[in-house]
Amino acid sequence: MKSELLAVLNEAYPEYVSGEKLSILLHCSRTAVWKHIKNLQEEGYQIKAVRNKGYLLESSPSLYSGHAVASRLIKGNLPYQIRFYPELLSTQNEAQRLAMEGAEEGTVVIADKQTKGRGRLGREWESSMGTGLAVSLILKPDVPAYKAPQLTLVAAVSVVKAIEQITGVKAEIKWPNDLLIEGKKVCGILTEMQADPDRIKSVIVGIGLNVNETVFPEHLHHIAASLSGFADSPPERAQLAAAVLNQFAEDYELYKQSGFAGVKAEWESYSCTLGRKIQVRQNGSYINGTAEAVDSQGVLKLRDKDGILHSIVSGDIEI
Ligand code: BTN
């Protein structure tokens, strides 16, 4: 019955199907139709019921589309506009193109698949399977350009919280841009800026989250993992994307009010970097020491064996 009902609603989309028509097609009473609709709604199907029109299937839990994400967004301070693409080279490139054309803050580029996703430091980001999240968000914060990297840290906090809301799984933040679960990378964040000498024109925050991948390229076997490997059931990408955006809208508001200091305590609570012995690679040279703190600007403080405190603004770290 469930799949027949869904098939009729899917077929009719974007039109409504009346309760009467459903009861005839499915050979049951209109009350039975209503009960099945309620069950489906409880399973996460978004079905709109309108008197005198009938039922409209707005999104299915397994459907990944712009509408499936947008219909789960909470109207808040950041007016999101979702641009969903079945396939792109890179959501980051598309967001940059849109930003140059004057796209507004809150424009979000999402791709089901990326064929040339980009990571930090010119690395590749593998997400061509249609199983992960590839999201790039256009922001126009009123802050000096040197503060733009702080948005990586804010987004990391938002993604950790969204992952926990949807799956119950706890991820940790490896400064500055990785999220790890049980030591394996599940998410990377790439923040890029377009700026004039005196002001930021736009910041693009790109989030790549491994959700349901089961195979990784050989060189990533020991370092990467998917959220589904830790969750009780396979997470839905539309639900996750919406949770990330809803959470980010809240955290970004805090950031605009109080800067990185507004989310610092949360960042620290999710960090797997602080208190650990780490190695930082900066411009080809290495510094070893203990990650002591992040300051109110998101700068990592590293104490070396001679007791000298280094301020690490950017770089790659090994734990
Ligand atoms: C990293 O860990 O090096 C950062 C990876 C960032 C990947 C995301 S996926 C969405 C957006 N589009 C891209 O091409 N890259 C970012």
Side-chain angles (χ1 to χ4, degrees), residues 90-92 114 117-120 125 134-136 177-178 185 188-190 206-208:
S90 154
T91 56
Q92 206 71 359
Q114 283 188 130
R118 296 191 286 108
R120 283 173 76 234
W125 179 260
V135 175
S136 293
N177 74 310
D178 291 349
K185 178 163 171 171
I189 299 170
L190 174 67
I207 299 167

Side-chain angles (χ1 to χ4, degrees), residues 70-103:
S71 63
R72 291 176 162 92
L73 293 177
I74 299 163
K75 294 219 173 355
N77 303 314
L78 194 47
Y80 284 124
Q81 286 178 41
I82 307 291
R83 301 230 184 185
F84 188 94
Y85 302 74
E87 187 172 313
L88 280 177
L89 287 173
S90 154
T91 56
Q92 206 71 359
N93 296 358
E94 179 62 4
Q96 276 173 356
R97 189 188 70 73
L98 292 169
M100 269 157 50
E101 282 181 356

